[in-house]
Amino acid sequence: RSMRTNSPQKIVTIILLFTLIIFSDLFSQKKKLTYNQIFKFQGPRLTKSLPNFGKWLDDKHYLVQKPFGEDNKSSLIKINAETGEEEIFLDIDKWNEKLLTGMSVARPTDKTVDYKHFLFKKDNDFYYLSIDEDSFKQLTNDSSEKKNPTLSPNGKFVAYTKNRNLFVFDIESEKEIQLTKDATETIYNGYSSWVYHEEILGRRSKYKAFWWSPDSKKLAYLKFDDKPVPKYMLYNPDGIHGEWEVEHYPKAGDPLPYVWFGIADIKSGETTWADFDPKADHMIAWPSWHLNSEQVMLQWIPRSFDEQKIYSIDINDGSKKEIYSEKQESWVDWFEDIYVFENGSGFLVRSDKDGWRHLYYHDWEGNEKAKLTDGEWPVNSITHVDEENGIVYFLAGKESTLESQLHKVYLDGKNLTRITKDEGMHKCYVSANGSYIIDQFSNITTPTKMQLLNKAGEAVKQLGDSKAPAMDEYQLGKVELFTVPTEDGFDLPVKWILPPDFDKSKKYPIIFAVYGGPTRSTVTNSWGRFVSPHWYAQHGIIYAMMDNRGSGHFGKKGQAQVHRKLGVADMDDFITVAKWVNKQPFIDTSKIAISGGSYGGYAVLMCLTRGADYFDFGIAGASVTDWLLYDNVYSERFMDRPDENPEGYKNGSVMTYADQYKGMVRITHGTMDDNVHPQNSLQIIDKFQDLNKDFEMMFYPKARHGFGFPKFHHNMRGTVDFWFRHLLGRKLDTDND
């Protein structure tokens, strides 16, 4: 048989084609993320900012801050949603020329809702810009530290606290009015006690505890006395001798601060006190004014946390009238987003008293007018109320608690309609009568987008995309959402990012990033704020998140199961997920890790002690280690008082299970953490040392509940290096990884 041979020319052609294929493949390979890019913010960013939405002015016009015109100057632009026509609403650069260096009307200390009056703070003094009067002037001229300056609705006064007393500055007469004069080391007027700031009014309040009336004539405020509250000492090591910082911090079982609710008249300077016993074992907070400025509602919760009342307070004599009440066997929550109708017809609350958070419409006489929503799904927030047409717009997880979709319903509870159509998490701004909606949404495959929708939820115009062009150049892992069932019927949500070159025949370590605290969920159908999970996945580590039954995905039914037993049912759920993971053929079962901070740090330590058979490594930041060491409002809300639930506190303490610890944990804590005291970490490492256990510890001097720059970089490098050493068997190389 004759044998045919390829000609030299044909062979060269084949080699060239083969070479081109190889080089083409090499050039088409996507880039890898780097440590410095992700954690030091150097190099190309994969996401970019969305337009800075201001507000809806009416049913068709909205405000966006952006460059405008040929000179590209910064302005607040008024846009017609129907026609797209744009015009300058506020020329930011023009007005900035009147201000002092470092000030900008784009970043005022405060402003009125009509953008006519702006307040600025510089070197502890206030400055005021009036658009109507075309004037800029300095208001105060003293060195005293002033807190939380807030313009009155009409822009004519500024309220603030100074030396723990409440003041108002009259802008027209240029006079300072002192409303209270009895402040001491423990008495604060209009400035909250620490536990109210952290657990009731919230960190966003910045300790502010006063509220203007709609007519700008009165100021409602809370007064506190921390005299019965024990002190806790935090040490600042600066200087030769250092110094102690003293905070009145009530731990579980300790007394609450005394509290009063007053309404100050600006003209007379007199305060009318509401009819509450300041020394009673209860909490009062979250006032909401009636538009007539003659009534203000106030929420009341007893120390037992099983009941909630709302009272209407008469501002003339301080008398109170109960207008809302509910009881629950587990606990009640504060209503942080009550909507008060401008027409005086009543108010809306989101209550989970029937097992899921739903909307209830009440009048000022105490009558329930309607329950607007119902079913085994949560209303997440009230977005807008169109009083003229009697429609409430709200975000809800009706189809899935992993998502938040915009819905609307009439005030009689009829015609419930979903508006947004894209799967995922939505944040919406609705025009006055609902004709248009500004929608920001994302899901696991789509970085956040901003678009204009019509009233039917159909996209009219793309307004912004946070996905930067560089993202397509990089190798990102696959994101998956799924559930893991428990034996008693809960399908626990899990989200993970798999390595880009994931191969089921290989073995991968896994990190679970958790929080775990009651009412707080981390698993959603969203893109997320950070790209770092993809960097870990790129290095062959599966990066995951999981939620337990107390997270809110299962309503109050699930949350109530952690009542009086934090660290038991919720941690059992995390163990259930770890057991499931152990059965997956592509998981390295000797490298199951968990990471978290605050309650997440507590979850890490509980999983590495009580759940030591299922978790191998962990990083615990700013961790609670025993609920006896945390504040009474949080601890007792979920656990009741220590003398009422001694077994619950014992079973929920990391110290109880310290002898079971056998993996490796890195513990971090700021030495001046006034929220979760470093005492928590000191007690568990003391226990580990007595038990001759190995662990890593990193204290951050002067750091609070979280690490700012530059300590952030040190903590992040230590965190990643810990994972590399224990999960990948090598040290981190920041220049090449």
Side-chain angles (χ1 to χ4, degrees):
R1 178 184 302 179
S2 65
M3 183 178 293
R4 296 182 59 189
T5 58
N6 290 315
S7 68
Q9 184 179 358
K10 186 173 287 187
I11 292 173
V12 171
T13 302
I14 292 172
I15 292 173
L16 286 173
L17 287 172
F18 185 66
T19 303
L20 285 172
I21 290 171
I22 292 174
F23 276 94
S24 175
D25 185 58
L26 288 173
F27 283 120
S28 67
Q29 285 183 356
K30 292 192 174 183
K31 299 176 184 177
K32 288 190 175 182
L33 301 165
T34 68
Y35 176 89
N36 290 334
Q37 182 182 10
I38 299 302
F39 300 108
K40 288 191 174 181
F41 318 116
Q42 300 171 357
R45 312 307 305 154
L46 272 61
T47 58
K48 59 184 179 180
S49 298
L50 293 169
N52 189 359
F53 176 76
K55 59 179 285 187
W56 282 98
L57 294 173
D58 49 43
D59 195 42
K60 290 184 180 179
H61 298 91
Y62 63 94
L63 299 179
V64 172
Q65 182 184 326
K66 66 177 184 177
F68 188 83
E70 293 181 0
D71 54 8
N72 211 34
K73 287 188 174 182
S74 180
S75 299
L76 196 60
I77 308 302
K78 177 181 176 181
I79 302 176
N80 186 313
E82 189 173 84
T83 66
E85 181 182 354
E86 299 184 0
E87 63 180 286
I88 295 178
F89 179 82
L90 185 68
D91 189 329
I92 293 174
D93 288 335
K94 169 192 169 183
W95 289 104
N96 282 351
E97 292 175 359
K98 293 181 174 290
L99 309 181
L100 300 183
T101 301
M103 295 180 182
S104 173
V105 294
R107 299 181 302 278
T109 300
D110 194 26
K111 66 178 184 295
T112 52
V113 295
D114 59 5
Y115 293 86
K116 297 294 185 182
H117 310 276
F118 293 81
L119 185 70
F120 305 90
K121 184 179 180 183
K122 183 179 177 66
D123 299 328
N124 275 327
D125 280 312
F126 302 143
Y127 297 80
Y128 173 75
L129 172 69
S130 171
I131 302 297
D132 284 340
E133 299 174 2
D134 190 12
S135 65
F136 174 72
K137 62 181 178 179
Q138 182 173 346
L139 301 183
T140 61
N141 187 21
D142 64 77
S143 58
S144 300
E145 186 176 14
K146 307 170 192 68
K147 304 280 191 179
N148 299 311
T150 306
L151 283 166
S152 59
N154 65 7
K156 295 182 178 181
F157 301 94
V158 184
Y160 51 96
T161 58
K162 182 169 67 172
N163 300 323
R164 301 188 179 93
N165 274 315
L166 186 60
F167 290 77
V168 164
F169 193 92
D170 186 329
I171 296 172
E172 290 184 346
S173 66
E174 299 187 354
K175 291 182 179 179
E176 184 179 69
I177 304 167
Q178 185 169 352
L179 297 176
T180 68
K181 300 179 180 179
D182 61 342
T184 66
E185 188 271 330
T186 63
I187 293 177
Y188 329 110
N189 292 286
Y191 190 85
S192 68
S193 167
W194 184 90
V195 76
Y196 265 71
H197 162 256
E198 176 63 28
E199 304 296 1
I200 299 175
L201 299 178
R203 296 177 197 170
R204 287 179 297 177
S205 72
K206 298 180 180 179
Y207 290 91
K208 176 183 170 183
F210 60 83
W211 300 265
W212 277 107
S213 63
D215 63 6
S216 301
K217 295 179 180 179
K218 303 168 189 69
L219 205 60
Y221 68 98
L222 290 172
K223 170 183 173 179
F224 301 91
D225 188 349
D226 265 340
K227 185 177 181 179
V229 180
K231 298 177 181 178
Y232 187 85
M233 312 285 281
L234 292 164
Y235 182 66
N236 183 338
D238 280 354
I240 303 300
H241 302 290
E243 61 183 9
W244 291 99
E245 178 179 288
V246 180
E247 185 66 76
H248 289 271
Y249 185 108
K251 303 221 171 189
D254 286 341
L256 288 164
Y258 301 148
V259 60
W260 294 255
F261 180 68
I263 301 97
D265 182 88
I266 305 306
K267 186 176 181 179
S268 69
E270 298 297 320
T271 292
T272 300
W273 296 105
D275 182 21
F276 293 97
D277 179 358
K279 297 184 179 181
D281 224 7
H282 66 208
M283 293 150 285
I284 52 176
W286 289 99
S288 301
W289 281 97
H290 192 294
L291 188 64
N292 63 16
S293 296
E294 294 298 319
Q295 292 172 284
V296 59
M297 65 173 67
L298 190 69
Q299 299 177 48
W300 172 93
I301 291 179
R303 180 78 177 260
S304 58
F305 275 99
D306 58 353
E307 185 178 8
Q308 182 174 30
K309 294 180 185 293
I310 299 177
Y311 292 99
S312 174
I313 310 298
D314 188 313
I315 66 166
N316 297 307
D317 60 14
S319 60
K320 64 180 187 290
K321 176 182 178 181
E322 182 181 315
I323 58 175
Y324 180 90
S325 177
E326 72 171 66
K327 290 185 177 182
Q328 294 198 40
E329 293 184 6
S330 53
W331 69 82
V332 295
D333 293 306
W334 297 97
F335 297 138
E336 298 183 13
D337 61 349
I338 287 179
Y339 178 83
V340 178
F341 284 84
E342 294 181 2
N343 60 21
S345 65
F347 56 94
L348 292 174
V349 297
R350 288 188 309 121
S351 171
D352 60 3
K353 61 184 178 181
D354 76 343
W356 290 88
R357 197 165 293 281
H358 284 294
L359 293 173
Y360 296 83
Y361 182 19
H362 284 256
D363 64 25
W364 281 81
E365 297 302 314
N367 304 305
E368 181 180 312
K369 301 181 75 171
K371 181 181 180 183
L372 305 188
T373 59
D374 193 20
E376 294 189 352
W377 50 273
V379 172
N380 299 327
S381 64
I382 300 171
T383 300
H384 175 69
V385 178
D386 176 2
E387 293 191 26
E388 182 180 338
N389 295 303
I391 302 174
V392 179
Y393 294 83
F394 60 93
L395 291 169
K398 188 174 185 297
E399 290 78 14
S400 169
T401 59
L402 298 173
E403 300 190 356
S404 193
Q405 301 283 351
L406 182 67
H407 297 72
K408 68 177 181 180
V409 67
Y410 283 81
L411 287 174
D412 58 5
K414 295 180 180 179
N415 298 322
L416 174 62
T417 307
R418 172 176 162 177
I419 299 174
T420 47
K421 302 183 185 305
D422 293 297
E423 293 183 355
M425 296 292 291
H426 291 258
K427 181 179 181 180
C428 297
Y429 306 91
V430 182
S431 66
N433 299 125
S435 294
Y436 293 96
I437 300 143
I438 300 291
D439 175 35
Q440 295 180 10
F441 83 96
S442 75
N443 53 49
I444 60 172
T445 59
T446 308
T448 306
K449 291 185 177 183
M450 183 174 178
Q451 54 190 1
L452 176 68
L453 310 179
N454 61 22
K455 62 182 180 181
E458 299 163 338
V460 174
K461 185 179 181 181
Q462 185 85 359
L463 301 179
D465 189 344
S466 66
K467 180 182 177 181
M471 184 178 290
D472 289 331
E473 301 174 12
Y474 286 85
Q475 193 178 41
L476 303 183
K478 182 181 180 182
V479 185
E480 293 182 339
L481 276 171
F482 56 94
T483 59
V484 174
T486 66
E487 292 182 352
D488 54 348
F490 291 95
D491 291 324
L492 306 174
V494 179
K495 178 163 70 173
W496 66 19
I497 297 91
L498 299 173
D501 55 353
F502 178 69
D503 183 344
K504 286 187 176 182
S505 67
K506 295 182 178 180
K507 299 286 186 180
Y508 298 93
I510 185 170
I511 299 173
F512 283 101
V514 301
Y515 181 74
T519 75
R520 292 277 298 275
S521 58
T522 59
V523 179
T524 57
N525 184 11
S526 62
W527 177 258
R529 293 185 299 154
F530 307 109
V531 186
S532 54
H534 289 278
W535 180 84
Y536 282 108
Q538 171 186 287
H539 283 279
I541 299 171
I542 297 174
Y543 196 93
M545 286 143 274
M546 58 180 171
D547 281 330
N548 58 46
R549 66 189 62 199
S551 61
H553 287 294
F554 309 99
K556 207 54 175 285
K557 172 187 175 182
Q559 293 174 13
Q561 293 205 13
V562 306
H563 184 229
R564 292 174 58 91
K565 48 187 178 182
L566 294 181
V568 181
D570 46 0
M571 296 307 114
D572 282 345
D573 286 343
F574 287 166
I575 290 171
T576 294
V577 175
K579 288 179 179 179
W580 179 87
V581 164
N582 263 287
K583 296 176 182 178
Q584 306 312 304
F586 50 85
I587 296 293
D588 185 338
T589 57
S590 67
K591 295 178 179 178
I592 297 178
I594 184 169
S595 174
S598 197
Y599 198 106
Y602 167 70
V604 169
L605 290 170
M606 287 296 284
C607 286
L608 286 173
T609 54
R610 190 170 174 272
D613 290 338
Y614 308 99
F615 293 91
D616 307 296
F617 303 101
I619 296 181
S623 314
V624 175
T625 57
D626 190 319
W627 293 109
L628 293 171
L629 305 180
Y630 199 51
D631 73 69
N632 57 3
V633 173
Y634 189 95
S635 294
E636 294 177 17
R637 175 187 176 198
F638 303 119
M639 295 288 280
D640 292 339
R641 300 192 202 196
D643 60 353
E644 298 170 332
N645 185 23
E647 281 300 304
Y649 278 83
K650 177 183 176 182
N651 294 335
S653 171
V654 179
M655 267 65 83
T656 301
Y657 312 99
D659 60 330
Q660 298 178 36
Y661 167 74
K662 58 186 178 182
M664 177 55 66
V665 66
R666 173 183 171 86
I667 299 171
T668 64
H669 219 125
T671 63
M672 294 191 71
D673 188 339
D674 61 342
N675 181 359
V676 180
H677 295 150
Q679 173 191 27
N680 285 267
S681 288
L682 287 167
Q683 288 199 10
I684 189 58
I685 66 175
D686 179 52
K687 189 76 170 178
F688 282 163
Q689 289 169 346
D690 289 347
L691 293 168
N692 199 28
K693 303 284 188 178
D694 293 328
F695 60 92
E696 296 183 16
M697 177 74 225
M698 181 60 69
F699 280 112
Y700 284 92
K702 297 180 288 182
R704 299 287 185 176
H705 196 58
F707 312 129
F709 298 104
K711 287 180 171 61
F712 168 87
H713 291 302
H714 185 276
N715 178 60
M716 190 52 63
R717 180 168 56 83
T719 294
V720 176
D721 185 67
F722 179 87
W723 295 134
F724 270 47
R725 284 187 285 114
H726 293 289
L727 301 184
L728 301 180
R730 67 179 181 89
K731 288 183 67 64
L732 168 71
D733 181 353
T734 57
D735 291 328
N736 296 302
D737 282 318

